[in-house]
Amino acid sequence: MSDQPCVSVVIPVKNESRCLPACLKSLLEIGFPKHLLEMIVVDNGSTDGSVGIAQSFKAHVHLCPDLSISGLRNYGAEVAKGSVLAFVDADVAVKPAWLQ
């Protein structure tokens, strides 16, 4: 049994196919147990393949067109299963010790 909490990372997205892969890849490479990490991508009506990219990284994808960015984050927080919430934008690649 781990003493670390399960962390849900919420990522709001709209047409972020160029930078989303680096963001999701960086999350998978952080020094945090993968089984305790939930990646939630909340998509605001992308037309550029962002949804497929998120699915290829095994992120939980939710389609929420026409929400503001704060609405996307709030929705992600509502569906999150982790005991800790973390938020990152799709154009950010996190550092390896980000959740440490």
Side-chain angles (χ1 to χ4, degrees), residues 41-74:
V41 171
V42 187
D43 184 82
N44 190 9
S46 293
T47 59
D48 69 346
S50 292
V51 169
I53 291 167
Q55 291 169 333
S56 75
F57 279 87
K58 304 202 182 327
H60 299 272
V61 178
H62 299 270
L63 306 178
C64 299
D66 302 321
L67 286 182
S68 65
I69 193 161
S70 59
L72 296 171
R73 287 186 181 115
N74 288 339

Side-chain angles (χ1 to χ4, degrees), residues 7-91:
V7 176
S8 296
V9 180
V10 178
I11 309 158
V13 170
K14 183 162 186 184
N15 294 328
E16 303 283 356
S17 66
R18 290 177 26 183
C19 54
L20 185 58
C23 175
L24 295 172
K25 184 175 185 278
S26 73
L27 287 169
L28 293 175
E29 293 175 348
I30 59 176
F32 196 81
K34 309 263 183 299
H35 69 284
L36 296 175
L37 182 68
E38 176 186 35
M39 296 187 301
I40 302 170
V41 171
V42 187
D43 184 82
N44 190 9
S46 293
T47 59
D48 69 346
S50 292
V51 169
I53 291 167
Q55 291 169 333
S56 75
F57 279 87
K58 304 202 182 327
H60 299 272
V61 178
H62 299 270
L63 306 178
C64 299
D66 302 321
L67 286 182
S68 65
I69 193 161
S70 59
L72 296 171
R73 287 186 181 115
N74 288 339
Y75 182 87
E78 287 175 22
V79 300
K81 295 181 178 140
S83 58
V84 174
L85 294 176
F87 299 88
V88 67
D89 290 332
D91 62 349

